[in-house]
Amino acid sequence: MSGDVSPTEKHSGTSPQPELRASHADRDRVVDVLRIAAGDGMLTADELDERLEAALSARTLSELAVLTVDLPTVSTAVAGTAAEVKDVVRIAQVFSGKVERTGRWVLPRRLELAVTWCDVTLDFTEAVITQDTLRIDVAMTGKTLTLVTGQGVEVDTDGLTLVHCRLRHHRRRTPPGTPVTLRVELVGHKAHGKVVVRPARRTLGQWLLRRPTPSP
């Protein structure tokens, strides 16, 4: 019959190829890129919210690609660290040296501290943020737990029980509209010693720049 279409004609390749579908892992990688970019000051709070909404609702890889096309450096950094992200990291130490996490360390999805009479310092100023919330389960006795916050990092201590322990929470002054890129939740208990939450200390050069210019 003249109206019949042969299999060869039906699959002649004239139809456009379908776009590749995005997986949950693809969306998660883009979300990581956007949050790190916001933490580095590349995106405003409004831009971050808009792009996060688009990333979470994206159905294809091309829809995700346009969200990070202007963030090449961040994309490369995340691609190199995505495999290192761990669900849970447990730090267990008793009567020994200091515990420090500083520099560009990759945040796990949850952190457990089982520490007795050891100082602990967690510095978030250069940390690679992999999600918007980090839960830290604390079971610590003695010495000092210090959290150094960076731009866009907030610390919630409401879930932490203190026994013969002091809390010093120095909040960073941030400009209006600064996006919150990481919320750190402290839960559990801390007995004896103290807990200190503070922003990073200024360098000598930063301190000099804040000094008023002397009158002529």
Side-chain angles (χ1 to χ4, degrees):
M1 295 176 62
S2 60
D4 291 342
V5 178
S6 68
T8 304
E9 293 172 336
K10 186 176 181 179
H11 300 286
S12 60
T14 56
S15 300
Q17 292 292 328
E19 292 192 45
L20 295 177
R21 291 279 179 161
S23 66
H24 291 310
D26 294 325
R27 297 185 189 93
D28 290 343
R29 280 192 291 269
V30 171
V31 167
D32 290 343
V33 171
L34 296 174
R35 285 175 177 154
I36 294 176
D40 289 341
M42 298 180 186
L43 298 175
T44 65
D46 291 340
E47 288 173 330
L48 176 61
D49 290 342
E50 181 180 349
R51 296 195 190 193
L52 285 178
E53 183 178 355
L56 294 174
S57 61
R59 295 185 178 182
T60 65
L61 293 180
S62 62
E63 292 176 7
L64 290 175
V66 298
L67 300 176
T68 58
V69 69
D70 56 343
L71 306 170
T73 303
V74 177
S75 300
T76 303
V78 172
T81 59
E84 303 173 17
V85 179
K86 298 180 180 179
D87 288 331
V88 181
V89 170
R90 179 177 176 82
I91 299 175
Q93 198 158 307
V94 179
F95 292 101
S96 56
K98 297 180 180 180
V99 176
E100 293 185 337
R101 294 293 185 273
T102 60
R104 199 164 179 80
W105 61 294
V106 180
L107 300 186
R109 294 183 174 86
R110 185 161 63 88
L111 182 62
E112 297 178 352
L113 288 179
V115 180
T116 301
W117 295 103
C118 302
D119 287 316
V120 178
T121 299
L122 304 176
D123 189 339
F124 298 98
T125 54
E126 298 181 17
V128 178
I129 299 173
T130 58
Q131 69 281 325
D132 57 2
T133 302
L134 171 63
R135 175 188 169 108
I136 302 179
D137 293 314
V138 181
M140 183 173 174
T141 301
K143 298 290 187 174
T144 302
L145 170 59
T146 303
L147 277 68
V148 183
T149 59
Q151 191 78 7
V153 177
E154 290 188 351
V155 177
D156 182 357
T157 61
D158 291 345
L160 188 63
T161 300
L162 302 177
V163 180
H164 302 295
C165 180
R166 293 176 296 169
L167 171 64
R168 296 179 180 176
H169 195 160
H170 305 282
R171 289 176 172 78
R172 173 186 291 271
R173 294 182 180 180
T174 56
T178 301
V180 177
T181 55
L182 176 66
R183 177 183 175 84
V184 180
E185 297 179 350
L186 292 179
V187 298
H189 70 273
K190 171 74 168 70
H192 306 287
K194 59 185 176 180
V195 176
V196 177
V197 180
R198 62 170 178 81
R201 293 189 175 94
R202 299 188 188 96
T203 64
L204 177 60
Q206 292 171 329
W207 182 79
L208 291 174
L209 289 174
R210 290 181 58 88
R211 296 179 61 188
T213 303
S215 302

